[in-house]
Amino acid sequence: MQAMVTEGGTISYLSHGATYLYMQLLRGLFLLFGNKPALALWLQVILFHIAGLFLYQGLKRVVGKLPALGVFAFFILCPFFRTLSMELSPLGFYLALYCFCLFYLTEVLRDIHGKPLQYFFGGVQVAACIYLDFIGVTLIIWAILLLLMHNLQTALVEKWRLCLVTFGAGLLAGGVVLVVTDLLFTQRSVMQVLM
């Protein structure tokens, strides 16, 4: 395993951002507690539970406690997800980030009276999720639905537009910074990074 701490061992930059970050997280865990594969398995299980809790908290604000609890129970108890939580892969790490971003968007975008910096930071988070895995695009749909659902009922259409523009600016800025950082670290072409 590449994340194990060995003399002269390093983690090479992989083409998938979530994989690289997950390997760094495992390496940090092994540096702290020693090369114990059982710790990596426990980390995976904990990441899945963290993802489930963020998913529950994010959905609870939108659909209510009972449906959100049903989704959380399905996420934690379904044999498919239980099997995935026992495999060492970056999926648990990415799901934890994705669900945190979903939770953050739900908290911030449900009220257009928040500060514009919060919307900008939400856009940056979504850009990071998209960079790590393309499924993060669904968070853009989630953000737009939240704005439409909670804020078109009011007469503050101009404030709603400002929120959307600020969120879009954060999305664009985060995407550009991540792509440029990737270009600098890997010396690949723009098309290779985007692919």
Side-chain angles (χ1 to χ4, degrees):
M1 177 185 262
Q2 197 178 22
M4 293 274 192
V5 178
T6 58
E7 187 177 337
T10 60
I11 297 174
S12 61
Y13 186 82
L14 302 169
S15 61
H16 189 266
T19 303
Y20 178 74
L21 293 176
Y22 178 68
M23 296 293 276
Q24 291 288 356
L25 181 64
L26 281 178
R27 187 163 181 86
L29 183 73
F30 291 151
L31 278 170
L32 285 175
F33 300 107
N35 289 332
K36 298 176 184 159
L39 287 174
L41 191 59
W42 275 107
L43 174 68
Q44 189 73 5
V45 170
I46 290 168
L47 286 171
F48 263 84
H49 281 78
I50 288 171
L53 287 172
F54 279 128
L55 182 64
Y56 166 73
Q57 289 295 330
L59 291 178
K60 182 177 77 169
R61 304 276 194 242
V62 177
V63 297
K65 282 186 181 178
L66 196 56
L69 193 58
V71 170
F72 175 70
F74 178 77
F75 185 79
I76 296 299
L77 300 175
C78 173
F80 175 73
F81 286 111
R82 285 177 54 202
T83 303
L84 282 178
S85 73
M86 302 300 276
E87 294 174 6
L88 291 182
S89 76
L91 181 63
F93 176 71
Y94 182 74
L95 274 176
L97 290 176
Y98 182 94
C99 291
F100 172 76
C101 191
L102 183 136
F103 165 71
Y104 181 85
L105 290 175
T106 304
E107 286 296 307
V108 170
L109 296 180
R110 67 189 178 116
D111 179 23
I112 62 172
H113 299 291
K115 298 174 181 158
L117 191 58
Q118 292 174 321
Y119 306 121
F120 182 84
F121 187 61
V124 170
Q125 287 181 41
V126 172
C129 283
I130 293 170
Y131 172 76
L132 294 176
D133 197 307
F134 193 69
I135 196 71
V137 168
T138 56
L139 289 169
I140 295 174
I141 298 166
W142 180 255
I144 292 171
L145 288 175
L146 284 171
L147 281 171
L148 289 172
M149 185 170 56
H150 293 292
N151 299 319
L152 279 186
Q153 303 165 1
T154 68
L156 300 172
V157 177
E158 290 302 319
K159 183 79 172 172
W160 178 83
R161 287 183 184 149
L162 176 66
C163 295
L164 195 58
V165 167
T166 309
F167 175 79
L171 186 65
L172 185 63
V176 167
V177 167
L178 287 166
V179 168
V180 168
T181 303
D182 193 335
L183 287 171
L184 293 174
F185 276 116
T186 62
Q187 303 297 319
R188 295 185 292 180
S189 69
V190 175
M191 286 310 294
Q192 286 175 324
V193 170
L194 293 178
M195 291 300 288

